[in-house]
Amino acid sequence: MAKKERPIKGAPTARDYKGDVNPDWCPGCGDFGVLASLQSAYAELGRGSHDHLTVSGIGCSSNLPGFIRTYGMHTLHGRSLAVATGAKMANHELNVVVTGGDGDGYGIGGNHFIHTMRKNIDLLYIVMNNETYGLTVGQASPTTVVGEKTYSTPFGNIETPLNPVAMAIVSGATYVARAFSSERKQLTELMINGMQHKGFAFIDVISPCITWKGDEIFDYWKERVNMLEDHDTSDKAAALEQAVKTGHDTQLGLFYHDTNSQSLDQMEPVLENGPMAHQQMGVTPEQGDAIIKRMM
Amino acid sequence: MAKKERPIKGAPTARDYKGDVNPDWCPGCGDFGVLASLQSAYAELGRGSHDHLTVSGIGCSSNLPGFIRTYGMHTLHGRSLAVATGAKMANHELNVVVTGGDGDGYGIGGNHFIHTMRKNIDLLYIVMNNETYGLTVGQASPTTVVGEKTYSTPFGNIETPLNPVAMAIVSGATYVARAFSSERKQLTELMINGMQHKGFAFIDVISPCITWKGDEIFDYWKERVNMLEDHDTSDKAAALEQAVKTGHDTQLGLFYHDTNSQSLDQMEPVLENGPMAHQQMGVTPEQGDAIIKRMM
Amino acid sequence: MAKYDFVVAVGGAPGQGIDTFGISLGKICARYGLHVSTYSAYQSLIRGGHTFLTIRISSEPVANHGDEIDLIIALDKNSVEKHIENVRPGGAFIYNEDDVKKAPERDDIQLCPIPYKKFSSGIEDRKLQRRALNTCLLGTTLRLVGAELNVLEEIIIQTLLKRKGQEVVDANIMVATAGYEHAVENFTQFDDKFEKQEPALAFVDGNSAMAMGGAAAGVKFYSAYPMSPSTGVLKWMATYARELGIMVRQCEDEISVINMVIGAAHAGCRAMCATSGGGFALMSEAIGSAAMMEIPIVVINVQRGGPSTGLPTKTEQGDLWQLLGASQGDFPKIIVAPINIMDGFHTMPELFNLVDKYQCPGMVLSDLTLGMGFTTFDPASINWQPEIDRGELISELREMDGEYLRFQITDSGISPRAIPGTPGHIHVVATDDHDEDGGLISDEFTNPHKRRDIMEKRQRKMEGIVKLLPPPTLEGPEDADVTLIGWGSTHGVISEASQMLNGDGIATNHIHFKWLYPIDEDVVNEVLANAGRSIIVECNYTGQFARFLRGETGFKADGHIRKYDGEPFMPHHIVDGTRELLIGKTELYVPYQEIVV
Amino acid sequence: MAKYDFVVAVGGAPGQGIDTFGISLGKICARYGLHVSTYSAYQSLIRGGHTFLTIRISSEPVANHGDEIDLIIALDKNSVEKHIENVRPGGAFIYNEDDVKKAPERDDIQLCPIPYKKFSSGIEDRKLQRRALNTCLLGTTLRLVGAELNVLEEIIIQTLLKRKGQEVVDANIMVATAGYEHAVENFTQFDDKFEKQEPALAFVDGNSAMAMGGAAAGVKFYSAYPMSPSTGVLKWMATYARELGIMVRQCEDEISVINMVIGAAHAGCRAMCATSGGGFALMSEAIGSAAMMEIPIVVINVQRGGPSTGLPTKTEQGDLWQLLGASQGDFPKIIVAPINIMDGFHTMPELFNLVDKYQCPGMVLSDLTLGMGFTTFDPASINWQPEIDRGELISELREMDGEYLRFQITDSGISPRAIPGTPGHIHVVATDDHDEDGGLISDEFTNPHKRRDIMEKRQRKMEGIVKLLPPPTLEGPEDADVTLIGWGSTHGVISEASQMLNGDGIATNHIHFKWLYPIDEDVVNEVLANAGRSIIVECNYTGQFARFLRGETGFKADGHIRKYDGEPFMPHHIVDGTRELLIGKTELYVPYQEIVV
Ligand SMILES: Cc1ncc(C[n+]2csc(CCOP(=O)(O)OP(=O)(O)O)c2C)c(N)n1
Ligand SMILES: Cc1ncc(C[n+]2csc(CCOP(=O)(O)OP(=O)(O)O)c2C)c(N)n1
Ligand code: SF4
Ligand code: SF4
Ligand SMILES: [Mg+2]
Ligand SMILES: [Mg+2]
């Protein structure tokens, strides 16, 4: 989608981040809320729209970069975090936001998920978790609950779902939250703070799929979510304890925020001279001589 | 390695599980201790040696199946857990043990690691964690500590290592332990209990590489390890708290043991008629007719 | 009886029940003993998507969706606008008159507006009302083609009663009847009408047919990661898992999928998986590992438009080179491309017997046209108990002279294979190269002579395989002026084009390849010796098969017809292309796609 | 000066410092201005491993390890037993006499036992004592070939002083001197001796040469997952990362490696990675994605013995088809196989300019022989500032008429590429197919005409590329009786075999392919028109290049020489094979590997 950069007059608004293409999601899809929040969050951040790069994998949710007015990459299924890491390392002045689905991020992309967090790459990763493979017509995903009948589990799923929030804390993410696509205000705030956080920020967003989960899915979630309160976000063990809690309720909010650790770009000495993409290319004659000398 | 099954007279001993090929590890390698413990554990279990299947990936540690007298598979780098899952699902009467290295299991194999645990496949997974890619001559691995100079990090590693024990607990392993290859007795016991545990049993074994870490590496570990004590292995939150502890000491022992959850083969209805590999193949005429009827 | 050949197409948005329409009409045809071939031009299920399903119905077996559409049913306004021009003159167009402000204008066809709101006003549940539209228009359709309404009623009961209940059944029957009756009163029937013929047929899609073939071949383990257009195989397997005793596992990614298949196959099950191009790319490393460990597996690649994520809902024959090149190094492997939907069924036991015998990976190259297309078949043509030959498989203790050598060097290259759990045959299989007893060549010692021996042992299996694979088929006159050459899924459409050319006085024959690798140069060249002016027809840009065939046999075709716009060939594309090529202005003809969805 | 040509080989266990021996001797030769080519037959570093390093030294440029060994140095007992027969008659054999109970028996060579224990008894540190053995025997070696000891001393200081300290330096110099002096007194020098020539050369391995070429080409991002035999590229990059300002990242797997490269390249860096066969298989999906998103990347595959994990420490040219078939569908790509070590250096900027211009993936096919082999080169022959042409890259706001279309349809197929961060050019790149402005064809709408246009746009780039790629080279007489045809790393050995055949009166020329894909059929056939009786020489089982070449050009060779035992060709293998093939008993000759490690 070509999205001619609109001249922004005055403070940017969410409208300035609207793409030229209308979202092709089913009416009522939870992803609309995430898109709207992200547009607000970008606007709030106040940088030029060309300073953002929105990277996704493949899935309904991963179509998002097409609907937003920033640079975008719609990469391979499961590979968004690796591509985004490469882009961030090449130009750490870009604000790189990664969006995708639970299948994309926790299924096929699981290895990049844990290792990108371990390395504390300075990204905001937003997963639209609808507990299904939406685009491929509703198979069980790594977050599908036990017992659920799906395209691939006609007699009910027998595999325990994974816990993205707990996984993120353990893996080394330094900003870990859960949100709900219908709780737009909280979601937007978490996004803004996540973009401002220097390090890996992760938001697991409950973003229901009405097509494969049925119309009642929003009510199901509205009835269960409640806000994480009286919680010390700097305490890792406490965050984990909250994260592994099971039961009827699902907590929303910021679970963990590590403000001490440095992100990889902050620790990488070769970035001292500015973004790689803008540094001098090649080898100077002096450098070349020094190299050759060691070979003689 | 062809390993003619030796007739076992009386109770089997570790010797009965010795392969025909001598380990090709560097003298002093930590993996010797793991091999010896595994041979003892197999013997202790008392089943026929052909009832075991030892599966590995690629790496120094992954050469282990060649040195042990059971059925063995030396699969692709990082893929042992997936192959082992397939074998277990095909014949759940086999005792399937998976062995490998930290690079194999936590690096390239990371996605299978978390998902095999999530599904609570009935395997024993032993990782010989030497905090390096031994076979490829000593690059940083996902467990290499910050600051370490390696082949790939000549100026010191800047990436935070991952925490296998915490990761395992969060991912859904139901038996999670850490051991040290020099603490043979504890290791053997953990292996036996792990094999007997119905579900995914995981042992992260500190198994030092003297070639890339230097001769002092054993002393380094001996000085740090101590036993996990006064710990309730059925308490997940407590196990996690122990697991995420940082500092000078490294705890050995069983962190978490969930005796309630069922393993996937126990929950899978198609296994009610015995191992897949021995069930009747094909479609009976009656079944065929029933299928066709739905297509008419 | 004169040949009956009629094409119906139905357009609408996802969620409007196009599939249901297609399956119901297909089953009705099947009950009439009429043959069907369908093609669905669709998009991923998200808003704005549009589907256009073509259903060709014939008194004779048919394997493409034809050139012309006799009757179109538009389920939404969009379809009215998009497809009004796609009906052949003299055809008919059925639509919901509530959808359109101004009736479509075409005076060379019969326009059949249906007052659906009126017919369905009795349905209180709004959603149900919306969803029953397709059944109403199907009622109208049946009348136009001269089929009986009660067959539809039976099918409504069969498919909906248990899942949806009486209310839904009643509503559907009510609107179907209204649609039918309205046609009786207002519209003219087509001259050619449905006539029952024996036997009654069954109706199946290509992915299910392959799954069924796998089940018949004795598959006991199936793993998958969803990927269009292959997911139907998973669906069939998951649906029948319990009934047939098949272990079905959905995995975290395609790498896991194939490695599980390898593990399950090693432990003694016939095991397979299906994916599409990108998933296959991820599997490619493990293909070589199966060959090295000499474990028989079957991998199905249902091709879609590439490159990369490409066109998930469109067709292509673009993965041939990917399969030929999958994984590093040289190793035994078999590649087969079923030539039509039911051939997908028959191929599976054939292939499983081969891979079991030769202990190597087998790859099936299907595509979206085949995998997601539907056909009818005679239930009697299905052999549910094909021969199952597991080759030299050892699962019990036995007398041996000397040690068991898993990779024993033999003349055939085949070494008896013991499965874990078998007493007396303990061994290790490895992806590192190894000697006869499995000892590693690479790490522990590296002996070029042993390596050469074991490499030659493995590759000798190819000599056995190539002898067992049937040669390409030759249809039509032996000495024709024109020879159309194709592979895999295009058999039906090329076959028909060839008949049309012959009908037009251009003597044409048709050589078709199903077994693609290994190729026996001499045998194939013997068949190709029958070629007249040769034209290779394939559904990709670079002529993947043409380049491969030339490399293996030296055969260079005189011309090429290629399509790479995502839509499958229609017979006239090939007929027109052949004419153009005969004029000789060009060596490559790329048909223009007239129907745009 | 007469041509000097001398082959030294050293055998021992890992940890005994064979590499050090090789690098020191190589550097000494380089300082003498002598040319060197090395081949190391080795195994993975674990106990029981054995390494045999062959170092050919010549007054003229040389690019293979030769046929005969003049002098062998055995660092352990194992090597004494294994290699005593490998010295040519008249050669010499140096060994540590403490190692052997009974002196080796050969009276046609000079045996040179060294009393190492005695020489090194002054070294107190046992480990140091053990490790200095190679230096001692190198001292002896230098005397036998007529080189001066002080050059070695300089090198010991250069390489050891900073890293290991004075004590280690002193110990090494001491034993080197003892070894040298002992030879002065006890052994006879070879007749042909080292003579200094100008210019002094530098000494480098193939992986480093490619890394250097990448750095010179302006690579700013390098990611890797370790895999033999490609890991040397990572090592060089990691070593020089800070000095040259290159971002080097080790990843969790090869999938991550290539996807990071794609991300970095999209954000504006020249980016590359290196791996071997199995790692490349994992990367294959992303190759197609780079082509679809039109992002220029470079991937190096340093081939090793396959299939699967195969022979990690052995060589093969077995991945050609893997590269040809990597990823589903058809897309623009470039495959190049450097013909010798320094060509690896020069190839990188050439390839980067091409992929930047055509915005597509470039693949480099090296192999173990090249990647882990060493050569000497004239520092003046290195261009550290090659032309860097980034093609149509936009990184600043500019005047435009109308909208920026990332995938603008142009005659060349090239569309100007803006990098993220550039004002005024916001766009999305996608692995789904798309139209000119990046809008998705597949999911949102599916238009066969747009698809065809964009597919043709992409593929038009191939027409531009193929015109820029140099044709295969022809060396030797134009009208020869025999033509040897090779590709990639075998250039040096085929070239020498061709000269030998000419010397023996068999008029031979040599056609060599470096740029493998795309191939211009007409241009290549013009070169091949010079072929006499043609023989394709390659290092794999199925004749991957022969089959590919025939497919692209129709050219069928008269005979084939193939090797697939893990060891590289020696010149006489090709000479012998050519003679056999000329007799005409066979079409395929597979040389016997005489030297077994
Ligand atoms: C390698 C590969 N495997 C499979 C697919 C098919 N595929 C496309 S989207 C998708 C699932 C998407 O699920 P999720 O990421 O949860 O996104 P959602 O559609 O639910 O938003 C799959 C499996 C693919 N494109 N590539
Ligand atoms: C796909 C693939 N990538 C890379 C390699 C190369 N490789 C072989 S062993 C190894 C690392 C092994 O490390 P680890 O698993 O920790 O085992 P260790 O040798 O330390 O015991 C690597 C990267 C490979 N064989 N396959
Ligand atoms: S299928 Fe589900 S996830 Fe996809 S767009 Fe529709 S509602 Fe959203
Ligand atoms: S390199 Fe390290 S891990 Fe490998 S065998 Fe030697 S000591 Fe063990
Ligand atoms: Mg999802
Ligand atoms: Mg390790």
Side-chain angles (χ1 to χ4, degrees), chain B residues 17-97:
Chain B
Y17 282 90
K18 229 175 136 288
D20 292 332
V21 173
N22 280 331
D24 57 359
W25 294 312
C26 310
C29 175
D31 295 351
F32 283 100
V34 179
L35 175 63
S37 284
L38 185 57
Q39 286 161 339
S40 304
Y42 274 136
E44 197 76 32
L45 216 65
R47 298 181 60 185
S49 47
H50 56 268
D51 292 325
H52 306 289
L53 176 63
T54 314
V55 182
S56 72
I58 296 291
C60 293
S61 41
S62 291
N63 284 359
L64 186 143
F67 315 139
I68 209 157
R69 193 173 303 273
T70 71
Y71 278 96
M73 301 183 80
H74 189 179
T75 74
L76 289 172
H77 186 47
R79 311 306 167 196
S80 56
L81 284 173
V83 174
T85 300
K88 184 78 188 183
M89 293 294 113
N91 186 351
H92 62 287
E93 286 175 357
L94 294 172
N95 174 41
V96 183
V97 174

Side-chain angles (χ1 to χ4, degrees), chain D residues 23 33 94 167 172 176 181 206 209 229 251 255 388 420 491-492 534 541 573:
Chain D
I23 291 174
I94 303 175
E167 190 198 344
N172 274 282
E181 296 300 345
C251 303
I255 301 178
I388 293 180
H491 181 269
S534 59
Y541 186 96
H573 292 148

Side-chain angles (χ1 to χ4, degrees), chain A residues 81 97 148 265:
Chain A
L81 284 173
V97 175
E148 190 167 326
D265 56 299

Side-chain angles (χ1 to χ4, degrees), chain A residues 13 61 82 86 97 108 113 116 140 144 171 187 192 238 241 250 260 274 285 292:
Chain A
T13 68
S61 41
V97 175
I108 193 167
F113 183 52
T116 313
T144 299
S171 298
L187 177 54
I192 296 166
E241 205 181 319
T250 301
N260 298 320
I292 297 275

Side-chain angles (χ1 to χ4, degrees), chain D residues 441-566:
Chain D
I441 286 186
S442 65
D443 278 351
E444 207 214 332
F445 61 100
T446 320
N447 184 316
H449 303 145
K450 289 197 180 187
R451 153 70 176 185
R452 182 170 165 184
D453 288 347
I454 202 84
M455 188 78 182
E456 288 172 354
K457 169 206 124 61
R458 274 194 302 269
Q459 290 294 136
R460 267 202 300 280
K461 297 196 279 187
M462 291 305 274
E463 297 163 20
I465 294 168
V466 82
K467 287 205 196 84
L468 293 182
L469 300 183
T473 50
L474 172 72
E475 288 163 42
E478 288 223 348
D479 50 347
D481 295 328
V482 172
T483 299
L484 298 175
I485 301 171
W487 62 282
S489 66
T490 50
H491 181 269
V493 71
I494 297 178
S495 196
E496 183 157 347
S498 160
Q499 282 159 33
M500 285 161 73
L501 286 163
N502 279 312
D504 290 358
I506 301 175
T508 306
N509 60 17
H510 171 198
I511 294 177
H512 210 83
F513 287 76
K514 166 179 174 176
W515 298 93
L516 302 180
Y517 193 89
I519 269 193
D520 187 320
E521 180 173 349
D522 298 335
V523 170
V524 166
N525 274 327
E526 213 169 285
V527 177
L528 289 170
N530 296 297
R533 196 180 172 97
S534 59
I535 296 170
I536 298 184
V537 181
E538 55 186 320
C539 205
N540 60 57
Y541 186 96
T542 61
Q544 296 198 0
F545 182 74
R547 287 156 57 220
F548 164 65
L549 183 67
R550 191 177 182 197
E552 298 293 318
T553 65
F555 180 83
K556 192 185 178 189
D558 300 309
H560 303 269
I561 302 178
R562 292 181 196 152
K563 207 159 183 308
Y564 41 83
D565 57 15

Side-chain angles (χ1 to χ4, degrees), chain B residues 61 101-103 128-134 141:
Chain B
S61 41
D102 46 320
M128 287 159 261
N129 184 352
N130 56 10
E131 304 188 349
T132 188
Y133 286 93
S141 92

